[in-house]
């Protein structure tokens, strides 16, 4: 793929033009990535107040007892969105679902222990240990290039 950037002082807003002889899967993926809006704001609730949570500070998001929680900078926040809604809002380059009830930030992973048969043990920077469910092991291995 060839990339060309032109600087034009009369240009008021950036403009992207894709020139191709056919629309391929690669072109469709490129257009999707370019047109994605910036990650949306996250609001968490704790101690009776609402706080803005920066996505890069979140280590994990999980569902428990019918509620959804996020761990960010050592604090636990209650979220009012469901996991599938959060999955759409989170930066897909860093966040990955590891089970039906949990999403982790790959930037906050200390290591992956692959010794267990059928699952993967994940250790996060904050000391939390969690597990990839069997259903998501193949997806995680693909992401990790294993």
């Amino acid at each position: 793929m060839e990339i060309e950037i032109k600087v034009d002082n009369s240009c008021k807003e950036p403009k992207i033009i894709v020139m191709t002889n056919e629309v391929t899967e690669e072109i469709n993926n490129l257009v999707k990535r370019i047109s994605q809006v910036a990650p949306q704001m996250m609001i968490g609730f704790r101690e009776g107040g609402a706080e803005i949570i920066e996505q890069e500070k979140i280590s994990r998001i999980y569902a428990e007892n019918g509620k959804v929680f996020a761990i960010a900078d050592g604090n636990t926040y209650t979220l009012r969105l469901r996991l599938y809604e959060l999955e759409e809002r989170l930066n897909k380059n860093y966040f990955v679902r590891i089970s039906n009830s949990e999403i982790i930030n790959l930037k906050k992973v200390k290591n992956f222990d692959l010794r267990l048969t059928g699952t993967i043990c994940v250790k996060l920077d904050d000391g939390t240990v969690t597990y990839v469910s069997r259903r998501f092991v193949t997806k995680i291995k693909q992401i990790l290039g294993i």
Side-chain angles (χ1 to χ4, degrees):
M1 180 180 308
E2 188 179 323
I3 298 175
E4 182 179 332
I5 299 175
K6 293 182 180 179
V7 177
D8 182 353
N9 293 334
S10 65
C11 183
K12 301 292 182 214
E13 186 177 343
K15 179 180 181 179
I16 297 173
I17 299 172
V18 177
M19 296 175 66
T20 182
N21 62 339
E22 65 177 314
V23 178
T24 63
E25 187 66 27
E26 181 184 25
I27 298 297
N28 285 331
N29 289 335
L30 178 64
V31 170
K32 282 180 191 174
R33 279 186 277 159
I34 291 171
S35 61
Q36 283 180 342
V37 293
Q40 297 177 344
M41 190 181 305
M42 303 280 294
I43 302 292
F45 299 87
R46 80 179 180 102
E47 298 176 3
E51 297 179 30
I52 295 174
I53 308 171
E54 294 178 35
Q55 287 191 20
E56 57 271 3
K57 293 184 178 181
I58 298 171
S59 58
R60 66 189 279 247
I61 298 172
Y62 63 97
E64 187 175 89
N65 298 324
K67 294 185 178 181
V68 177
F69 301 95
I71 306 296
D73 284 342
N75 296 312
T76 302
Y77 298 90
T78 303
L79 303 177
R80 292 192 177 160
L81 297 170
R82 298 187 183 273
L83 283 177
Y84 75 88
E85 294 170 320
L86 291 163
E87 221 173 358
E88 292 171 5
R89 288 177 172 231
L90 294 167
N91 185 330
K92 289 165 185 35
N93 294 318
Y94 305 122
F95 290 89
V96 63
R97 188 180 278 245
I98 62 168
S99 71
N100 284 338
S101 61
E102 189 167 5
I103 298 169
I104 61 169
N105 182 347
L106 292 172
K107 292 271 191 186
K108 300 286 186 174
V109 173
K110 187 173 185 178
N111 67 33
F112 293 94
D113 186 349
L114 305 171
R115 292 179 289 178
L116 297 171
T117 305
T119 189
I120 300 171
C121 178
V122 181
K123 294 180 184 172
L124 301 173
D125 287 345
D126 63 5
T128 304
V129 175
T130 188
Y131 296 89
V132 177
S133 72
R134 292 175 189 256
R135 183 175 165 201
F136 292 87
V137 167
T138 304
K139 177 183 173 185
I140 297 300
K141 285 185 174 182
Q142 286 175 343
I143 290 169
L144 298 176
I146 300 173

